[in-house]
Amino acid sequence: MRPIQPRSYSISSSPAACPGELHLTVSVVNYEKSGRSKRGTCSNYLSEIALDEEHVPIFIESNPNFRLPQNEETPIVMIGAGTGIAPYRAFIQHRELSEKRGKSWLFFGNRNFETEFLYQAEWHNFLKSGALSKMNVAFSRDGEKKEYVQHRLIENSAELFKWLEEGAHFYICGDMNNMAGDVQKALLKIIEKEGSLNREKAEEYITKLQREKRLQLDVY
Amino acid sequence: MADKKETPAPSPIEKIKDESAYLRGTITESLNDPLTGGMRSVDQVLIKFHGTYQQQDRDLDDERKKQKLEPLYSFLIRVRVPAGVTTAAQWLAMDDLSEQYGDKTLKLTTRQAFQFHGVLKRNLKRTIKEINDSLLDTIAACGDVNRNVMCSANPFESPVHAEVAEDARKISAHLTPSTNAYHEIWLDGKLVEGGEKEEEPLYGKLYMPRKFKTAIAIPPRNDTDVLSNDLGFIAIVENGKLTGYNVTIGGGMAYTFGNNETYPRVADVVGYFPKEQIEAVSEAILIFQRDHGNRSERKNARLKYTVDRLGLEFFYAEIKRTKGIVLTPNKDYAFETMGDKYGWLKSADGLWHYTVFVEGGKLIDRNGYLAKTAIREIATIHKGTFILTGNQNVVIAQVEEGEKSKVEAILKKYKIIDTAKISLLRQNSIACAALPYCGLAFAEAERYLPTLVSKIDQLLEANDLLQTPISIRMTGCPNGCGRPFLAEIGLVGRAPGVYNLYLGASFVGDRLNKLYKEMVNEEQILEALAPLLEDYAKNRIADERFGDFVIRKGYIKATLAGKEFHN
Ligand SMILES: Cc1cc2nc3c(=O)[nH]c(=O)nc-3n(C[C@H](O)[C@H](O)[C@H](O)COP(=O)(O)OP(=O)(O)OC[C@H]3O[C@@H](n4cnc5c(N)ncnc54)[C@H](O)[C@@H]3O)c2cc1C
Ligand SMILES: NC(=O)c1ccc[n+]([C@@H]2O[C@H](COP(=O)([O-])OP(=O)(O)OC[C@H]3O[C@@H](n4cnc5c(N)ncnc54)[C@H](OP(=O)(O)O)[C@@H]3O)[C@@H](O)[C@H]2O)c1
Ligand code: HEM
Ligand code: SF4
């Protein structure tokens, strides 16, 4: 028998805000394949069994390519769908403790407002305290048409470009297969339009962002 | 003002109204905030005037808190139905809306209104818009304004009923707020430029000090509980013709536990006027309360307290001064019941009317009993109207002789309860909404009263009292939405599973009950009632009602005025 592969999860708490704790945001994977229902091994383990276990074997793998800017005053724009919100909770918990924090803007998408607005009450508090400056949400299964985070980005095109020009760092987290690509396309569109750039120049703009580590991705 | 003592500061609600620009506030901004399912606190006050309340599902509060979600907010929408009369098309529209945007139930209220529960904020505007598309509306269904004007059902029983229902509509139209805010916010109506000053010629920008409820009753039926309203009219019929009304003022149910300055009150019947004056009289009394009601203490703001504070002489002088109204002595009338007549009834014009018993006013498909679907199906073939009653029931009205069998077939197909088989206690029961939606509820009502009634029915059966009508009403708190203080057996929630038991009201709605046992649970309620019912069965005189019996036998003292409720 081969040992079970490890599974990765983004950490959704800041060690400074929650010392001695480590929070995860896990979406339980259950699906049907060839008429049979399948249960994701690790996500089900974490959501059921692990809650009663004394020890859960883990290791920490640090990701140097998905971090808050060194300068706390640098504005940040965070884009995530589903569990992609996890690292942003850690970010804002961290910034809440900072005196000189810069402005921050969160775009979050999920399926349903009533049940899947992850950490809703916490975002309300962060907005009140100013740790988070702005938030936009998109719920894909509440209305007649699908609404995704990239629709909110496009709607806020001019202001987002202003943030970019002011040196904001951009983050994208969550689903790799569809969301990440579509969000990047939306960004490209915004840069073309608001910067009056052709496709090529806009792509260069993005490459530059990536080189400067001002556009970071954590997708899976 | 009559009382020249130093004027205390107006209540915070007065300030909200004052600054709301005729009920606009920031309702639109609140509706458009995508981060919360609720409204800003100021707007929560203002939307009541537009006919909707913010609520939260209290059953889910703990679980959602753990999930780091805000409470599950949703909205109750109350649809105003003057005199309770709707068309079949309107019924279908309401049924559709309850399925599409509500929690798939239709609540028929004690004030002849429809109520939707569980409407999410993002669906609120379109729901209210679609209600208006069906030519019903929600404006002034709640809030410090004149509410839905009630009228005895069934308006088609005689020509007098039709005329009285028309008067109910007239009063309703005459006393509806005229602010354009409702149209702007919900119906995408145009903003009126510079028209602010003219917006409320009758109410002014502070509206009423408190809710203002109006009802009409046609003796011998008091199915509207007319004496529980701020303003009431008792139709006077002479030689088969409506001549005018006796006016009643100062009824109301609500009181606050532990505050004896608050009390339920049965209205005073203050005099007669000829029918032509109905709008003028309504307006004069509304103005009296508008100008003299207490605007600093909302708990003492209803007309009932104004009347007790200023006295009837002053009242008579004021309505004469403002509108030239002079009432003449009351004409004779007699009430026989507050209840509905169930089943088929034929009116003078040869049409048929069927009153359906709706327990707790809750139309719902549940446990194989498809009451909601049944009425819906009738609405698809019905050519007459539907009438909501003050007892939370519905009348399938104006059925032609030839159509009667079709309606009956549907009632049979869905096994709609034959009221003959329902105990008379259940037929005379009312429960308010209470848990899980009502934020003020201390205990269950609508979800629990049916169970309790079954248990009391066993006591009744043991004493051979099943054929004796007794009224029972339960609410989750003393605000009195289900008018519990006019029930022969009144139960008002104190804590989960615990109630205050009130006894000694009349069966016809003209005498309040009084506290008999405080803080009792189900077992104690049954224990308290058992010996009384046994004694009643053995020792009542002829047609003596239970509420009268307990007073005669000294179990409880009669409450002859609201002020004596606590003594
Ligand atoms: C860097 C990184 C960060 C991550 N962060 C998070 C996080 O913060 N939160 C989080 O919840 N997850 C996160 N994940 C995903 C997580 O690691 C696991 O992949 C996920 O929890 C599923 O694991 P499982 O053991 O429950 O399912 P498994 O038993 O591994 O089953 C999942 C597999 O089932 C198959 N499958 C799944 N759905 C379907 C379908 N509909 N049809 C057919 N086949 C299907 C796929 O092959 C998939 O790989 C992250 C992944 C990476 C790489
Ligand atoms: N829990 C499950 O049953 C389930 C289902 C699918 C995938 N997964 C896997 O589980 C992990 C986490 O899932 P999750 O539930 O947190 O989030 P998710 O499956 O990524 O979904 C989050 C939100 O993203 C939306 N979305 C879909 N396509 C998008 C696109 N092209 N652009 C932008 N948004 C898009 C989804 O909408 P719509 O879904 O309405 O289109 C949903 O509202 C991922 O690895 C994912 O692949 C789980
Ligand atoms: C579920 C949410 C509800 C809330 C939050 C609510 C709130 C209130 C409040 C605060 C009062 C007291 C007002 C006062 O001081 O006079 C009241 C009274 C009343 N309500 Fe409701 N109510 C609700 C539902 C209902 C329903 C479902 C009905 C009808 C079936 C109803 C009918 C009444 C009536 C008739 C009164 C008047 C009692 C009186 O005359 O004083 N309400 N309500
Ligand atoms: S009586 Fe009290 S508990 Fe019942 S609906 Fe009214 S306010 Fe709520």
Side-chain angles (χ1 to χ4, degrees), chain A residues 3-191:
Chain A
I4 302 178
Q5 293 294 305
R7 306 285 195 276
S8 305
Y9 294 94
S10 316
I11 297 175
S12 50
S13 56
S14 149
C18 313
E21 294 179 15
L22 189 148
H23 303 182
L24 299 183
T25 307
V26 179
S27 162
V28 179
V29 175
N30 288 322
Y31 58 95
E32 278 202 8
K33 199 174 172 184
S34 332
R36 294 181 53 191
S37 61
K38 301 260 190 189
R39 290 159 59 83
T41 313
C42 188
S43 57
N44 278 287
Y45 165 75
L46 285 174
S47 71
E48 292 166 17
I49 307 157
L51 298 178
D52 302 322
E53 303 277 271
E54 223 162 283
H55 294 286
V56 176
I58 62 160
F59 60 90
I60 297 198
E61 192 177 30
S62 75
N63 180 356
N65 295 320
F66 202 84
R67 305 208 150 235
L68 275 171
Q70 292 267 294
N71 181 351
E72 304 225 303
E73 291 179 49
T74 306
I76 53 174
V77 175
M78 300 160 286
I79 303 154
T83 51
I85 198 153
Y88 304 140
R89 179 169 179 265
F91 280 8
I92 297 303
Q93 279 189 351
H94 187 82
R95 278 215 165 176
E96 168 119 291
L97 302 175
S98 154
E99 298 276 290
K100 293 192 302 184
R101 60 187 168 225
K103 55 185 183 175
S104 53
W105 193 349
L106 175 60
F107 288 86
F108 171 64
N110 219 342
R111 284 168 280 262
N112 170 254
F113 172 86
E114 281 71 36
T115 56
E116 295 190 343
F117 191 158
L118 305 181
Y119 304 111
Q120 179 186 29
E122 296 188 358
W123 300 123
H124 285 171
N125 290 336
F126 288 139
L127 283 163
K128 223 177 273 162
S129 76
L132 179 64
S133 328
K134 276 172 84 87
M135 182 165 188
N136 287 79
V137 288
F139 292 94
S140 55
R141 305 203 184 165
D142 283 349
E144 284 111 60
K145 53 181 198 313
K146 289 257 179 193
E147 304 223 353
Y148 289 144
V149 277
Q150 55 268 30
H151 298 126
R152 295 290 102 83
L153 296 175
I154 299 283
E155 283 163 19
N156 290 279
S157 160
E159 198 177 350
L160 273 171
F161 189 70
K162 219 172 108 213
W163 283 51
L164 264 181
E165 293 282 282
E166 287 168 11
H169 284 215
F170 272 59
Y171 301 86
I172 302 173
C173 183
D175 167 59
M176 171 167 63
N177 298 326
N178 303 303
M179 189 273 302
D182 287 349
V183 166
Q184 281 174 286
K185 274 185 218 147
L187 265 186
L188 193 67
K189 238 197 217 161
I190 290 168
I191 293 165

Side-chain angles (χ1 to χ4, degrees), chain B residues 5-121:
Chain B
K5 284 168 265 165
E6 63 180 285
T7 15
S11 80
I13 304 286
E14 292 297 306
K15 184 160 177 277
I16 291 175
K17 289 186 275 187
D18 192 13
E19 292 170 356
S20 73
Y22 293 98
L23 308 180
R24 289 174 178 81
T26 52
I27 293 175
T28 298
E29 287 86 337
S30 269
L31 287 174
N32 291 338
D33 180 352
L35 300 183
T36 169
M39 309 280 288
R40 297 177 190 171
S41 54
V42 163
D43 297 324
Q44 284 178 36
V45 172
L46 296 174
I47 56 172
K48 293 180 188 173
F49 292 77
H50 299 253
T52 176
Y53 265 75
Q54 179 173 318
Q55 309 195 301
Q56 68 196 58
D57 189 333
R58 295 171 59 189
D59 286 352
L60 297 178
D61 276 355
D62 289 346
E63 176 57 25
R64 289 182 64 90
K65 203 165 198 169
K66 270 191 236 153
Q67 294 185 0
K68 305 182 173 65
L69 295 169
E70 70 178 11
L72 183 57
Y73 294 120
S74 67
F75 294 81
L76 163 171
I77 301 176
R78 201 174 284 162
V79 183
R80 217 161 52 132
V81 187
V85 186
T86 69
T87 63
Q90 285 169 333
W91 186 280
L92 288 174
M94 294 307 111
D95 191 88
D96 281 346
L97 288 173
S98 73
E99 292 288 324
Q100 201 176 352
Y101 302 122
D103 65 358
K104 303 191 190 308
T105 70
L106 257 186
K107 172 98 181 171
L108 314 181
T109 80
T110 49
R111 295 197 61 81
Q112 295 176 302
F114 284 111
Q115 208 157 275
F116 300 110
H117 288 269
V119 180
L120 299 172
K121 189 176 84 172

Side-chain angles (χ1 to χ4, degrees), chain B residues 236-520:
Chain B
I236 301 299
V237 181
E238 286 165 325
N239 303 321
K241 290 232 166 3
L242 177 73
T243 60
Y245 297 92
N246 285 347
V247 195
T248 79
I249 63 165
M253 285 292 104
Y255 90 92
T256 306
F257 287 140
N259 178 351
N260 287 0
E261 300 295 304
T262 64
Y263 46 83
R265 188 177 188 278
V266 163
D268 299 316
V269 187
V270 293
Y272 170 87
F273 67 88
K275 62 181 179 181
E276 294 74 24
Q277 294 179 13
I278 191 138
E279 282 165 317
V281 170
S282 304
E283 188 177 325
I285 296 172
L286 184 113
I287 289 175
F288 173 76
Q289 164 65 357
R290 180 195 71 191
D291 294 347
H292 300 294
N294 183 336
R295 287 187 185 264
S296 43
E297 182 47 72
R298 287 183 66 79
K299 288 191 185 313
N300 295 117
R302 293 278 297 270
L303 178 58
K304 59 182 174 178
Y305 302 112
T306 319
V307 170
D308 277 348
R309 180 165 44 90
L310 300 175
L312 284 181
E313 287 319 309
F314 180 69
F315 165 79
Y316 289 125
E318 277 294 280
I319 59 171
K320 182 163 181 214
R321 182 181 68 80
T322 57
K323 286 291 205 182
I325 302 290
V326 178
L327 301 172
T328 56
N330 290 319
K331 301 236 175 176
D332 287 343
Y333 67 94
F335 286 132
E336 284 168 14
T337 179
M338 301 185 290
D340 287 340
K341 297 179 202 163
Y342 295 98
W344 285 111
L345 201 93
K346 192 175 186 179
S347 55
D349 54 10
L351 294 173
W352 288 90
H353 318 278
Y354 187 93
T355 304
V356 184
F357 170 70
V358 183
E359 188 155 23
K362 196 82 164 178
L363 265 178
I364 182 173
D365 289 342
R366 164 170 67 184
N367 304 335
Y369 184 58
L370 308 182
K372 187 159 181 275
T373 301
I375 309 286
R376 189 195 160 81
E377 196 166 316
I378 289 169
T380 60
I381 61 151
H382 183 41
K383 302 193 182 83
T385 56
F386 289 93
I387 302 164
L388 312 182
T389 83
N391 290 301
Q392 305 174 305
N393 296 309
V394 58
V395 185
I396 304 159
Q398 294 174 297
V399 180
E400 284 176 16
E401 184 80 48
E403 304 283 317
K404 189 171 168 240
S405 59
K406 290 188 202 159
V407 171
E408 209 152 69
I410 298 174
L411 291 169
K412 281 227 175 68
K413 172 170 146 199
Y414 289 98
K415 303 195 182 63
I416 292 310
I417 300 179
D418 174 2
T419 21
K421 297 195 185 108
I422 303 174
S423 80
L424 284 174
L425 183 69
R426 202 178 295 276
Q427 291 188 24
N428 287 288
S429 67
I430 289 184
C432 76
L435 293 169
Y437 289 120
C438 178
L440 304 171
F442 297 115
E444 298 280 353
E446 178 186 283
R447 295 196 292 194
Y448 167 59
L449 183 60
T451 316
L452 182 67
V453 164
S454 301
K455 294 187 176 167
I456 299 176
D457 271 348
Q458 289 171 10
L459 294 178
L460 294 177
E461 191 168 8
N463 291 297
D464 201 16
L465 285 171
L466 280 180
Q467 293 314 311
T468 307
I470 297 176
S471 62
I472 182 168
R473 296 173 176 185
M474 173 182 278
T475 58
C477 86
N479 275 319
C481 295
R483 303 190 286 261
F485 308 114
L486 285 172
E488 294 176 287
I489 302 174
L491 290 154
V492 175
R494 290 294 303 263
V498 179
Y499 298 82
N500 278 1
L501 170 63
Y502 301 80
L503 297 176
S506 65
F507 186 74
V508 297
D510 60 2
R511 183 182 64 238
L512 296 166
N513 52 25
K514 196 182 274 303
L515 182 62
Y516 180 64
K517 287 270 190 268
E518 201 168 359
M519 304 280 288
V520 282

